[in-house]
Amino acid sequence: MQQTLSIIKPDAVKKGVIGKIIDRFECNGLRIAAMKKLRLSKDDAAKFYEVHKDRPFFKDLVEFMSSGEVVVMVLEGENAVVKNRELMGATNPKEAAAGTIRADFADSIDANAVHGSDSDENAKIEIAFFFAKREIF
Ligand code: ADP
Ligand code: MG
């Protein structure tokens, strides 16, 4: 069993598709081990996305991620990191395969509905960013 971090981003929360996105995870072998709704400050968002700090889209990304509420989850299952990335689809929803979360719920490369950890190592770091051990079951 592996764990990964998922974030339902502000665009998807505003659209009211939290339940529809969670359904994709639960129907595909990813159990919700932890979950909370919160709003990131700009500092939180900048720290979370620090790896992208030199990219041209960093400022917009931080603005967007702190623009509204997000739902943060720990997903658990076999190959959870890769499984979640498959369910999410490509970063740019225009390139995301049919039936993926981003193809169905995202509008643009910036407002792309979900975040998912990209490796086991980053999953551990990202989970620890949001959750204490006693919040994960
Ligand atoms: P992913 O979320 O698929 O792992 P990245 O880690 O490359 O993608 O990028 C993090 C986030 O930054 C993306 O989900 C998206 O919201 C934003 N982003 C990435 N590339 C671009 C871009 N070229 N223009 C605008 N926003 C981008
Ligand atoms: Mg990424």
Side-chain angles (χ1 to χ4, degrees), residues 22-65:
I22 288 175
D23 196 48
R24 302 285 174 102
F25 301 139
E26 292 191 324
C27 288
N28 287 280
L30 293 176
R31 191 180 70 78
I32 301 187
M35 176 161 69
K36 58 187 162 193
K37 193 186 204 197
L38 56 98
R39 185 161 178 167
L40 294 168
S41 67
K42 279 190 197 176
D43 282 353
D44 293 332
K47 199 180 284 176
F48 182 77
Y49 277 116
E50 200 174 6
V51 287
H52 294 308
K53 68 178 187 306
D54 297 324
R55 308 281 285 277
F57 57 80
F58 181 71
K59 195 169 171 286
D60 288 344
L61 176 61
V62 167
E63 286 286 339
F64 169 64
M65 289 301 290

Side-chain angles (χ1 to χ4, degrees), residues 9 49 52 55 57 61 85 91 102 109-110 112 115-116:
K9 295 186 179 184
Y49 277 116
H52 294 308
R55 308 281 285 277
F57 57 80
L61 176 61
R85 297 289 309 194
T91 306
R102 281 169 166 167
I109 194 165
D110 344 54
N112 63 1
H115 166 85

Side-chain angles (χ1 to χ4, degrees), residues 2 4 9-10 31 45 62 80 100-101 109 118 123 133:
Q2 189 181 43
T4 190
K9 295 186 179 184
R31 191 180 70 78
V62 167
T100 60
I101 292 167
I109 194 165
D118 62 7
K133 284 228 160 62

Side-chain angles (χ1 to χ4, degrees), residues 2-5 30 75-88 116-124 127:
Q2 189 181 43
Q3 293 183 336
T4 190
L5 186 89
L30 293 176
L75 304 178
E76 185 179 271
E78 240 172 84
N79 295 315
V81 170
V82 167
K83 167 69 76 178
N84 180 39
R85 297 289 309 194
E86 285 170 4
L87 295 173
M88 289 163 60
S117 310
D118 62 7
S119 68
D120 187 57
E121 187 193 353
N122 285 334
K124 289 187 168 74
I127 289 167

